């Protein structure tokens, strides 16, 4: 909403010395948030005067142009009273016309300084201005020709053109519909400075009668009030006076023609959208009804629209002529030949207008106001104001018929304890203050004694449909008292229990990985089929079952992702493209796993859901577990002056997962597996007992290629929720101070035997004396024989209560080797 | 060794003459003093204090003297040997110290050689900032609440007093899950977590809810379809806007430093009434001579978020008795806070995963 300050002052008796900045600050504090304060015309410096064209000579030039050498009377503004000689390129004016002249020394917008200069063989002493050059619009087809009543030669053009004006531009919140009018802004300005307010809507209007243009309302739910007035003998060629067109322009609307400008002016002034119909193009009575199936309407914007049966229409005998409250139709549009106008001022149901506007994606100045709620008592006054202006400015005659169908709804009544403002805001607001401020916003207020606090009863004004509840009244009182007066008091919460275990552990996981050199990534959870293909997920893969977003921003990524890998791999590729190829990335986030639940219920809001309703609601949602994923590319340890680095391998992905598991106090078991997007021979399945947790390993070469990652990049993804559920608290170990016995075992096993299984067997075989079993070498080669490998383990044995004897150590070692031999066809290497 | 010496030399042996002993002593001490290295000293020790050294031999000679001469000879030889031994010990210590000092000097390295062999990890600043915010409230006894991002329409809108035809529903353009008839959305704010909290806990409620939210915004330097919010909710007896102000002032000071407070401006949110926008005194210029300040762009204040008294309609839909309890709620953007708190100029940096960005924030914020 753009409000010229002079227009605000017309209704609010603001102090003359009040600056626009202070006015804007006060209105912002009242809830009308200032977006911009524009000093219109502030970039023009005079002398800028009205001039009368005394005569001119058209002089054709060599370049094909014709210029006019004009003699212009600028009164005494040039200091000598003689005609001013000015060269002008335009030709849209006649001798005797009033024009706008900027004299030498003046400055036009853009820092364009005017001086007397020699051009086309004359000394041109100034410039005749176009509307655009003065910042008065886009018109640059010719110079600005003023109406004959604009003023006298030599008059200051700033005043005549209303050039200088401060304009406040506000962001109006949906609850403050009244502030989409000067009437509303001025009312707040007046109460903000405690000065008198003149309501422009307060005017005596003729009583409705049966002589007006006939109107039938079939859909009273959508159109509670419909008022028409009719004027005839309107001069469609009458110009819009400068003051009116300038105000429209400052308010952000384009002047079009007098009739249209007047309807827009009254909308801005009062907040009531007005529609004008060319009476000669109407056939039969106006009828307000819902559209029938299949009906169509060509709206003023030239679009042919198919209507919904919910759309509220204005129709005549020919069919639809307008979408009520949203946009008119072409057939009855006002035109240059219109002489009789039927003026419509109605109150349409906000929801109906809102739905139609949304359905047709047709926001307009009218719909913006109707959907927020226009003052339902306004139509008569607004229509009367339009009549007044068309009569005085367009030479029209008003007919005495006044049509009014329907009545505005009864005013809203809100009662509340008079101490509620104090209790909710924490400010010491007594009943008298609350009453006074509510009266300022237009409420009729009374106080009644009651047990405890007095009861405040407010009849809400018709222009405040947003005030329905006691808390709404509290906000009105509070904003006038001022939010700055709210004290700052820290509430004391009951002792909390801190982060939940899960929350604390999630942090621990992040810290563990960052400590291990991984960098965290936050990516979008959107994914497309192309990503699933790039990962090489087979047709039936569970990760391809994803939820689609109905209105995704990108047609390529319409799904909620089921895996964190696409986002991470893209981030890795992006880094690679930016010259950072040695990467260890991780992400923790939720993924979306559909489970085909029922539709979510829309529950009542006047009570909490029942247990059954709550369950249904939960069931409608997908599973959204937290996942953890890592990706590694390039060097895990850098090469440098100390020697070669070490490239990341499948084992680094596993090590990352082991580090996380260890931080959570769980031990992952590892099995060989085959799952996309991993290398089929280098993929590990990670589990906790029988529970699958995730996978880790080297990425399939095709996946590396698809994402443009270095060969042998590695990745892992696990279900973090499962890991966290199994997390254990550390238990203090019993430390034996007896010496450790170390013994190494080299076993030759068939190549396909998993090292982890052999280690487990050694551990089990050696029994309770085992402190640790660590694989320290893997060897294959001729000495070992085809299809076999040698695994070298070091065993540490220790007893809690004694030094182990050589016999005990030998026995444990033997038992370990025996079990490995039985289970894995392992021979001891000698 | 043979038996007692009875074969007395009738005359005093030459090496036991006073001047001879003195010469041996002098020679030994000179050699010790001249030994330039531990190896040389080792040889000196053999030559002058070893079994076959003149003084050792002289000492042995004493036994060949007649008893009456032994004492005198012993008094000459003994102190000489003692002096040599002491000199050796001192010289040994001195040379060892010299040697050590020289070795350490020789072992010097160029400590300016770079060492970046092990990668340095980092956590995402949105994560660490969320944690820091949560910690401010946890320290006051609040708890951290969470909820799903794919959320029921009813919880995202209806329960929060955003009815099906509420104009505010178009203010936050929503991602709908397909088919839209299923009434499931990507949450447009973290407020459904507040509703969930009220529906699953009894007051008093003091919770803070950080999380990821979604709106159909274009993706550019200041907008993103995915972003992060933190909201707070208190429901208790006797809660007023003063408590809201106190909480946000404390939050502001905790995040931006002592003396940083907030300002409220009337605003509108369907879920709160009265509602307010929250501004923060610029923590860089503190509202003084703001013209040049790049953080607040000359305003002296920074728009931080929204807040208000929980609308009783929300309490009712969430099963809280509005006659007994009142509440307040507030919310702000985490990414936005990150941007102005740490001078991030392009929101896209937050989501692109460039390691240079994340690494700049380390592991805490």
């Amino acid at each position: 909403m753009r409000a010229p300050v002079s227009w605000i002052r017309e209704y609010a008796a603001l102090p003359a010395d009040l600056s626009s900045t202070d006015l804007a600050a006060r209105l912002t504090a009242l809830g009308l948030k200032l977006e911009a304060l524009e000093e219109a015309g502030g970039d023009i410096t005079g002398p800028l005067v009205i001039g009368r064209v005394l005569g001119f000579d058209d002089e054709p030039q060599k370049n094909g142009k014709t210029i006019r050498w004009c003699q212009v009377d600028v009164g005494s503004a040039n200091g000598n009273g003689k005609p001013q000689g000015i060269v002008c390129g335009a030709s849209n004016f006649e001798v005797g016309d009033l024009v706008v002249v900027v004299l030498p020394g003046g400055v036009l917008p853009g820092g364009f300084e005017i001086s007397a200069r020699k051009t086309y063989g004359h000394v041109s002493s100034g410039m005749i201005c176009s509307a655009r050059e003065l910042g008065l619009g886009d018109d640059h087809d010719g110079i600005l020709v003023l109406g004959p009543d604009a003023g006298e030669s030599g008059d200051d053009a700033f005043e005549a053109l209303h050039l200088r004006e401060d304009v406040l531009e506000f962001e109006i919140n949906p609850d403050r519909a009244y502030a989409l009018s000067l009437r509303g802004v001025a009312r707040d300005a007046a109460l903000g400075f405690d000065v008198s307010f003149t309501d422009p809507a307060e005017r005596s209007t003729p009583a409705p009668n049966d002589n007006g243009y006939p109107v039938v309302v079939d859909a009273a739910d959508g159109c509670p009030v419909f008022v028409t007035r009719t004027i005839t003998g309107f001069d469609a060629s009458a110009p819009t006076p400068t003051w009116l067109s300038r105000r429209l322009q400052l308010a952000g609307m384009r002047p079009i023609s007098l009739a249209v400008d007047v309807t827009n002016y009254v909308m801005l002034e009062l907040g009531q959208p007005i529609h004008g119909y060319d009476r000669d193009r109407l056939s039969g009575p106006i009828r307000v009804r819902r559209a029938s199936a299949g009906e169509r309407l060509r709206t003023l914007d030239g679009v042919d629209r198919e209507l919904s049966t919910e759309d509220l229409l204005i129709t005549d005998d020919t069919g639809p002529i307008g979408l009520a409250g949203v946009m008119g139709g072409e057939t009855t549009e006002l035109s240059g030949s219109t002489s009789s106008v039927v003026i419509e001022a109605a109150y349409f149901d906000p929801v109906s207008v809102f739905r139609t506007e949304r359905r047709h994606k047709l926001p307009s100045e009218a719909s913006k106001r109707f959907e927020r709620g226009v003052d339902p008592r306004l139509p008569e006054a607004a229509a009367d104001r339009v009549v007044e202006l068309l009569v005085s400015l367009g030479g029209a005659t008003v007919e005495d018929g006044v049509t009014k169908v329907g009545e505005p709804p009864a005013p809203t009544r809100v009662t509340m304890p008079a101490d509620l403002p104090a209790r909710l805001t924490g400010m010491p607001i007594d009943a008298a203050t609350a009453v006074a401020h509510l009266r300022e916003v237009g409420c009729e207020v009374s106080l009644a004694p009651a047990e405890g606090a007095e009861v405040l009863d407010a009849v809400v004004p018709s222009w405040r449909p947003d005030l329905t509840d006691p808390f709404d009244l509290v906000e009105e009182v509070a904003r006038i008292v001022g939010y700055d007066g709210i004290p700052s008091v820290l509430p004391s919460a009951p002792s909390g229990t801190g982060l939940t275990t899960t929350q604390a552990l999630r942090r621990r996981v992040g810290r563990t990985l960052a400590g291990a050199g991984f960098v965290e990534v936050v990516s979008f959870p959107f994914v497309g089929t192309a990503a699933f293909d790039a990962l090489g997920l087979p047709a039936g893969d569970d990760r391809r079952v994803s939820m689609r977003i109905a209105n995704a921003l990108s047609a390529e990524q319409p799904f909620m992702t089921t895996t964190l890998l696409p986002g991470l791999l893209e981030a890795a590729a992006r880094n690679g493209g930016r010259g950072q190829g040695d990467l260890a990335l991780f992400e923790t986030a939720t993924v979306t796993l559909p489970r085909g639940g029922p539709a979510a219920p829309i529950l009542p809001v006047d009570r909490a859901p029942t247990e059954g309703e709550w369950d249904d609601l939960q069931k409608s949602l997908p599973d959204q577990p937290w996942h953890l994923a890592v990706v590694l590319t390039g060097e895990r340890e850098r090469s440098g002056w100390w020697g070669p680095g070490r490239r990341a391998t499948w084992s680094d992905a596993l090590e990352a997962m082991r580090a996380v598991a260890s931080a959570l106090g769980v031990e992952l078991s590892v099995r060989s597996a085959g799952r996309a997007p991993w290398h089929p021979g280098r993929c590990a399945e990670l589990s906790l007992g029988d529970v699958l947790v995730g996978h880790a390993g080297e990425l399939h070469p095709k996946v590396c290629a698809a994402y443009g990652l270095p060969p042998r990049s590695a990745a892992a993804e696990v279900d973090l929720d499962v890991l966290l559920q199994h997390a254990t608290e550390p238990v203090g170990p019993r430390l034996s101070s007896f010496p450790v016995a170390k013994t190494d075992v080299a076993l030759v096993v068939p190549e396909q035997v998993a090292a982890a299984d052999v280690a487990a067997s050694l551990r089990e075989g050696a029994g309770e004396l085992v402190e640790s079993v660590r694989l320290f070498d893997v060897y294959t080669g001729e000495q070992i024989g085809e299809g076999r490998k040698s695994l070298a383990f070091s065993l540490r044995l220790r007893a809690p209560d004694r030094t182990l004897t050589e016999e005990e150590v030998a026995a444990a070692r033997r038992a370990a080797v025996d079990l490995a031999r039985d289970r894995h066809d392992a021979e001891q290497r000698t | 060794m043979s038996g007692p010496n009875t074969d007395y030399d009738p005359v005093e042996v030459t090496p036991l003459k006073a001047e001879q002993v003195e010469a041996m002593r002098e020679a030994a001490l000179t050699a010790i003093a001249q030994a330039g290295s531990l190896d040389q000293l080792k040889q000196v020790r053999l030559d002058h204090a070893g079994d076959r050294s003149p003084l050792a031999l002289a000492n042995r000679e004493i036994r060949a003297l007649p008893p009456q001469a032994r004492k005198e000879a012993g008094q000459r030889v003994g102190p000489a040997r003692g002096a040599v031994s002491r000199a050796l010990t001192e010289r040994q210590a001195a040379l060892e110290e010299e040697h050590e000092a020289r070795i350490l000097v020789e072992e010097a390295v160029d400590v300016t050689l770079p060492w970046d062999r092990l990668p340095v990890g980092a956590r995402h600043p949105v994560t660490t900032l969320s944690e820091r915010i949560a910690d401010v409230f946890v320290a006051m006894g609040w708890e951290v609440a969470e909820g799903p991002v794919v959320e029921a329409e009813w919880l995202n809108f209806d329960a929060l007093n955003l009815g099906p035809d509420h104009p505010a529903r178009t203010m936050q353009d929503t991602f709908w899950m397909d088919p839209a008839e299923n009434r499931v959305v990507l949450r447009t704010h973290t407020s459904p977590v507040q509703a969930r909290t009220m529906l699953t806990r009894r007051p008093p409620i003091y919770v803070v809810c950080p999380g990821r939210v979604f709106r159909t915004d274009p993706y550019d330097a200041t907008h993103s379809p995915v972003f992060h919010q933190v909201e707070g909710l208190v429901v208790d007896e006797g809660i007023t806007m003063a408590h809201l102000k106190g909480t946000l002032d404390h939050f502001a000071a905790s995040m931006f430093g002592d003396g940083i407070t907030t300002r409220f401006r009337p605003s509108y949110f369907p879920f709160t009434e009265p509602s307010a926008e929250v501004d923060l005194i610029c923590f860089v210029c503190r509202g003084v001579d703001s013209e040049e300040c790049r953080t607040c762009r000359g305003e002296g204040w920074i728009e931080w978020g929204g807040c208000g008294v929980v609308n009783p309609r929300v309490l009712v839909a969430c099963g809280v008795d509005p006659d007994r309890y009142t509440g307040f709620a507030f919310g702000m953007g985490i990414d936005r806070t990150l941007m102005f708190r740490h001078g991030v100029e392009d929101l896209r940096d937050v989501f692109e995963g460039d390691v240079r960005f994340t690494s700049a924030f380390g592991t805490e914020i």
Side-chain angles (χ1 to χ4, degrees):
Chain A
M1 176 70 195
R2 292 169 55 91
V5 169
S6 72
W7 208 347
I8 298 175
R9 285 178 176 275
E10 203 170 310
Y11 315 126
L14 298 171
D17 59 354
L18 176 67
S19 73
S20 299
T21 314
D22 289 346
L23 174 60
R26 183 72 185 108
L27 285 169
T28 296
L30 283 167
L32 308 188
K33 192 195 167 197
L34 187 78
E35 283 284 282
L37 196 172
E38 183 187 322
E39 294 172 326
D43 48 0
I44 303 178
T45 313
L48 186 77
V49 299
I50 293 180
R52 186 180 298 279
V53 180
L54 299 174
F56 55 78
D57 294 312
D58 284 334
E59 299 179 351
Q61 301 296 313
K62 282 192 213 120
N63 62 8
K65 283 207 310 196
T66 298
I67 60 103
R68 275 186 176 179
W69 169 236
C70 310
Q71 299 304 313
V72 185
D73 173 18
V74 294
S76 55
N78 56 2
N80 56 29
K82 290 181 190 159
Q84 195 84 352
I86 300 172
V87 170
C88 183
S91 57
N92 65 323
F93 56 96
E94 305 295 336
V95 169
D97 277 352
L98 292 180
V99 295
V100 182
V101 177
V102 55
L103 295 172
V107 180
L108 291 183
F112 183 37
E113 287 178 36
I114 306 299
S115 58
R117 63 191 186 102
K118 201 155 192 285
T119 178
Y120 295 111
H122 302 282
V123 173
S124 181
S125 303
M127 190 173 105
I128 305 177
C129 304
S130 73
R132 194 171 74 186
E133 282 158 349
L134 294 169
L136 287 174
D138 298 331
D139 197 351
H140 197 54
D141 288 345
I143 53 106
L144 177 63
V145 178
L146 303 176
D149 305 326
E152 297 298 326
S153 303
D155 282 1
D156 180 14
F158 281 106
E159 218 164 293
L161 296 173
H162 304 271
L163 264 186
R164 269 213 188 119
E165 176 81 272
D166 286 348
V167 181
L168 308 183
E169 183 171 355
F170 299 109
E171 183 189 316
I172 302 298
N173 284 316
D175 61 333
R176 305 212 169 270
Y178 69 92
L180 292 172
S181 68
L182 268 300
R183 178 199 190 200
V185 173
R187 188 191 305 277
D188 270 6
L191 67 85
F193 290 93
D194 202 16
V195 297
S196 67
F197 170 69
T198 310
D199 188 349
E202 219 168 273
R203 55 193 295 128
S204 63
T205 55
N209 53 48
D210 295 335
N211 310 331
Y213 197 89
V215 173
V216 181
V217 176
D218 290 338
D221 57 330
C223 176
V225 182
F226 197 100
V227 168
T228 68
R229 298 286 294 276
T230 308
I231 54 115
T232 58
F234 173 70
D235 176 6
S237 68
T240 302
T242 310
W243 63 267
L244 197 158
S245 61
R246 178 64 174 154
R247 276 192 172 171
L248 284 185
Q249 193 210 358
L250 291 172
M253 298 190 81
R254 257 170 73 94
I256 293 166
S257 68
L258 177 59
V260 174
D261 293 349
V262 163
T263 59
N264 284 335
Y265 185 83
V266 172
M267 175 177 72
L268 292 170
E269 180 180 79
L270 302 177
Q272 169 71 56
I274 303 283
H275 194 73
Y277 302 92
D278 185 335
R279 190 173 74 173
D280 299 330
R281 297 166 78 179
L282 281 173
S283 26
I286 288 175
R287 185 177 286 271
V288 185
R289 61 165 172 84
R290 302 283 175 189
S292 330
E295 259 187 308
R296 308 185 74 86
L297 170 68
R298 197 175 179 82
T299 41
L300 274 178
D301 55 359
V303 178
D304 189 48
R305 297 173 188 276
E306 180 170 344
L307 304 173
S308 146
T309 53
E310 279 195 357
D311 288 334
L312 189 67
L313 295 182
I314 311 297
T315 67
D316 69 359
D317 287 352
T318 66
I321 57 172
L323 272 176
V326 178
M327 194 172 271
E330 276 189 334
T331 56
T332 58
E333 193 182 350
L334 299 177
S335 70
S337 60
T338 299
S339 70
S340 300
V341 181
V342 174
I343 299 152
E344 165 205 303
Y347 171 67
F348 296 116
D349 173 51
V351 170
S352 173
V353 172
F354 174 69
R355 289 185 181 169
T356 293
E357 183 220 307
R358 263 224 300 207
R359 187 175 301 119
H360 297 290
K361 297 191 171 61
L362 199 55
S364 66
E365 290 291 329
S367 66
K368 186 167 84 182
R369 289 172 172 80
F370 280 123
E371 75 182 19
R372 287 168 168 81
V374 164
D375 181 352
R377 308 189 81 81
L378 199 51
E380 282 172 272
D384 195 59
R385 174 72 168 138
V386 174
V387 166
E388 178 188 42
L389 289 169
L390 289 181
V391 167
S392 67
L393 302 175
T397 312
V398 62
E399 292 193 344
D400 59 5
V402 177
T403 301
K404 183 183 182 194
V405 178
E407 282 299 329
T412 308
R413 242 194 152 84
V414 182
T415 60
M416 67 172 185
D419 67 347
L420 189 64
R423 277 198 281 129
L424 275 192
T425 63
M427 292 191 279
I429 299 172
D430 58 22
T433 307
V435 169
H437 289 328
L438 288 174
R439 284 186 179 142
E440 283 166 9
V441 301
C443 293
E444 288 169 30
V445 192
S446 59
L447 272 179
E451 224 173 295
E454 289 172 290
V455 169
L456 187 153
D457 178 278
V459 177
V460 171
S462 54
W463 58 86
R464 290 302 300 271
D466 58 304
L467 303 182
T468 58
D469 293 359
F471 280 37
D472 300 329
L473 298 189
V474 171
E475 181 174 270
E476 288 305 299
V477 174
R479 76 184 177 104
I480 298 174
V481 171
Y483 279 13
D484 288 348
I486 299 170
S488 189
V489 179
L490 198 57
S492 46
S495 313
T497 51
L499 296 179
T500 63
T501 306
T502 308
Q503 289 161 351
L505 291 179
R506 234 183 266 138
R507 290 187 179 191
R508 191 189 292 173
V509 168
R511 280 198 288 261
T512 300
L513 284 167
F518 285 76
V519 175
E520 189 177 11
V521 166
V522 171
S523 51
F524 286 1
F526 308 135
V527 75
T529 311
F532 296 144
D533 294 345
L535 292 182
L537 304 189
D541 193 286
D542 49 351
R543 287 163 292 178
R544 281 189 183 266
V545 183
S546 52
M547 279 190 103
R548 177 186 286 274
I549 301 163
N551 54 335
L553 284 184
S554 155
E556 279 79 50
Q557 298 194 317
F559 305 115
M560 289 299 286
T561 195
T562 53
T563 155
L564 299 180
L565 291 175
L568 267 184
L569 293 174
E570 275 165 32
R574 194 174 296 121
N575 275 290
R578 294 177 182 179
Q580 297 117 231
D582 300 326
L583 297 167
L585 305 179
F586 79 102
E587 179 167 17
T588 55
T590 58
V591 295
T592 304
L593 308 178
R595 51 178 177 180
I602 294 295
L603 302 173
V605 292
D606 56 356
R607 58 166 175 81
T610 64
E611 218 164 281
E613 288 169 338
W614 183 245
D615 288 346
D616 287 345
L617 199 105
Q618 301 309 316
K619 276 184 212 145
S620 70
L621 300 176
D623 278 336
Q624 297 172 63
W626 282 83
H627 274 202
L628 159 67
V630 301
V631 58
L632 296 120
T633 72
E635 287 186 338
R636 177 74 172 118
E637 287 172 25
R638 301 189 69 177
S639 52
W641 57 266
W642 52 80
R646 188 177 68 73
R647 293 190 72 79
T649 70
W650 59 272
S651 62
D652 290 296
L654 270 154
E655 189 183 15
M657 294 303 110
R658 284 211 177 92
V660 167
S662 152
L664 298 174
V666 297
E667 199 171 336
L668 289 171
S669 44
V670 179
R671 253 200 313 264
S672 168
R675 181 174 167 88
W678 286 278
H679 184 307
R682 298 182 172 191
C683 172
E685 180 184 280
L686 308 173
S687 33
L688 291 170
D690 298 337
V691 186
L692 177 66
V693 177
H695 295 82
E698 182 178 312
L699 287 168
H700 196 289
K702 282 183 180 161
V703 175
C704 293
Y707 282 94
L709 298 176
R712 310 226 174 268
S713 294
E717 179 166 23
V718 294
D719 185 325
L720 190 56
D721 285 349
V722 171
L723 271 184
L724 298 190
Q725 281 154 19
H726 290 79
T728 61
E729 295 292 332
V731 176
R734 306 283 172 275
L735 300 180
S736 165
S737 53
F738 290 92
V740 67
K742 299 179 202 167
T743 177
D744 291 351
V745 177
L747 296 171
V748 176
V749 295
E751 216 161 35
Q752 67 274 14
V753 169
D757 294 343
V758 180
S761 299
L762 288 174
R763 180 180 288 274
E764 186 184 331
E768 59 183 9
L769 295 179
V770 169
E771 192 172 79
S772 69
V773 173
R774 182 170 183 272
L775 177 73
F776 67 90
D777 194 28
V778 180
Y779 177 74
T780 52
E782 274 178 29
Q783 293 159 287
I784 305 301
E786 185 88 356
R788 293 181 77 83
K789 62 184 173 187
S790 165
L791 303 174
F793 296 91
S794 74
L795 279 61
R796 289 165 66 92
L797 306 167
R798 197 179 336 233
D801 53 354
R802 63 187 189 280
T803 302
L804 292 178
T805 62
E806 278 176 37
E807 291 71 27
E808 281 177 303
V809 173
R813 186 182 193 282
R814 202 160 44 242
V817 170
D818 286 350
L819 192 60
R821 187 184 54 227
D822 294 349
R823 285 196 182 155
H824 311 293
D825 184 20
E827 324 161 21
Q828 205 174 164
R829 196 172 161 211
T830 45
Chain B
M1 270 293 143
S2 50
N5 184 14
T6 50
D7 182 18
Y8 299 122
D9 193 344
V11 291
E12 200 175 329
V13 288
T14 312
L16 292 176
K17 284 190 177 146
E19 52 273 34
Q20 287 282 6
V21 170
E22 184 57 24
M24 290 176 212
R25 193 181 83 111
E26 281 305 318
L29 291 179
T30 304
I32 288 167
Q34 285 173 350
S37 69
L38 288 167
D39 283 344
Q40 285 175 18
L41 189 65
K42 199 171 168 188
Q43 191 57 51
V44 170
R45 186 188 299 277
L46 278 177
D47 293 348
H48 296 278
D51 286 348
R52 309 222 45 90
S53 66
L55 276 170
L57 292 175
N59 196 44
R60 220 172 291 158
E61 293 283 351
I62 293 174
R63 274 178 290 175
L65 293 180
Q68 65 276 21
R70 285 185 195 171
K71 187 179 174 194
E72 197 184 339
Q75 280 169 349
R76 280 200 294 273
V77 174
R81 295 185 75 205
V84 169
S85 170
R86 274 195 306 279
L88 274 172
T89 305
E90 279 166 23
R91 187 67 185 145
Q92 176 80 21
L95 284 175
E96 274 175 5
E97 199 163 307
E98 224 170 80
H99 174 77
E100 197 166 273
R102 194 176 61 250
I103 291 290
L104 292 182
V105 166
E106 282 168 7
E107 284 178 353
V109 295
D110 178 1
V111 295
T112 69
L113 284 172
W115 184 264
D116 55 357
R117 179 169 171 180
L118 299 175
V120 177
R123 292 200 302 151
H124 198 279
V126 163
T127 308
T128 50
L129 187 59
S130 300
E131 290 177 2
R132 184 172 172 131
I133 291 169
D135 288 346
V136 169
F137 289 94
V138 168
M140 292 193 286
W142 296 38
E143 286 169 15
V144 179
E146 296 172 11
V149 297
V150 181
E151 182 60 285
E153 179 187 3
W154 186 82
L155 276 165
N156 193 69
F157 290 123
D158 302 68
L160 302 167
N161 194 34
L162 279 134
D165 291 307
H166 204 291
R169 278 203 187 184
T170 57
M171 283 164 69
Q172 346 178 308
D173 289 333
T174 308
F175 285 112
W176 293 84
M177 301 312 294
D178 191 51
E181 302 84 73
N182 272 4
R183 306 275 186 191
V184 174
V185 301
L186 292 183
R187 67 181 181 194
T188 59
H189 42 197
T190 42
S191 310
V193 182
Q194 300 186 20
R196 286 175 172 274
T197 305
M198 287 187 271
L199 283 162
T200 51
R201 302 186 191 195
R202 302 281 107 217
I205 290 170
Y206 288 77
V207 293
V208 63
C209 335
R212 182 149 72 154
V213 300
F214 302 81
R215 292 186 197 169
T216 59
D217 282 335
Y219 187 39
D220 60 30
T222 52
H223 299 85
S224 168
V226 182
F227 57 104
H228 299 82
Q229 268 191 343
V230 59
E231 293 193 14
L233 171 73
V234 165
V235 179
D236 203 346
E237 288 175 347
I239 287 297
T240 75
M241 288 181 90
H243 296 127
L244 171 58
K245 182 78 163 62
T247 300
L248 290 174
D249 282 344
H250 176 76
F251 182 22
S254 304
M255 295 296 294
F256 297 98
D258 277 348
I260 300 301
T261 57
T262 61
R263 164 178 88 173
F264 286 4
R265 283 181 287 113
S267 189
Y268 171 75
F269 306 105
F271 22 87
T272 51
E273 187 77 34
S275 303
E277 301 272 352
V278 189
D279 297 338
L280 188 71
I281 288 183
C282 179
F283 58 95
V284 175
C285 67
R286 295 192 170 236
V288 179
D289 298 331
S290 307
E291 289 74 15
E292 301 292 313
C293 182
R294 290 179 50 173
T295 299
C296 64
R297 296 197 164 76
E299 297 286 327
W301 295 88
I302 298 168
E303 289 185 25
W304 200 19
C307 67
V309 175
V310 179
N311 193 311
R313 290 167 188 256
V314 175
L315 295 182
V316 168
C318 295
V320 174
D321 178 1
D323 293 327
R324 180 170 172 198
Y325 296 105
T326 50
F328 68 71
F330 60 84
M332 39 276 294
I334 293 176
D335 325 73
R336 214 189 97 69
T337 303
L338 174 73
M339 287 178 81
F340 68 70
R341 191 171 185 262
H342 296 275
V344 175
E345 291 190 346
D346 194 322
L347 179 56
R348 286 169 294 203
D349 290 342
V350 172
F351 298 102
E352 292 202 331
D354 193 313
V355 292
R356 292 171 298 169
F357 176 76
T358 306
S359 296
F361 294 92
T363 54
E364 300 291 336
I365 207 169

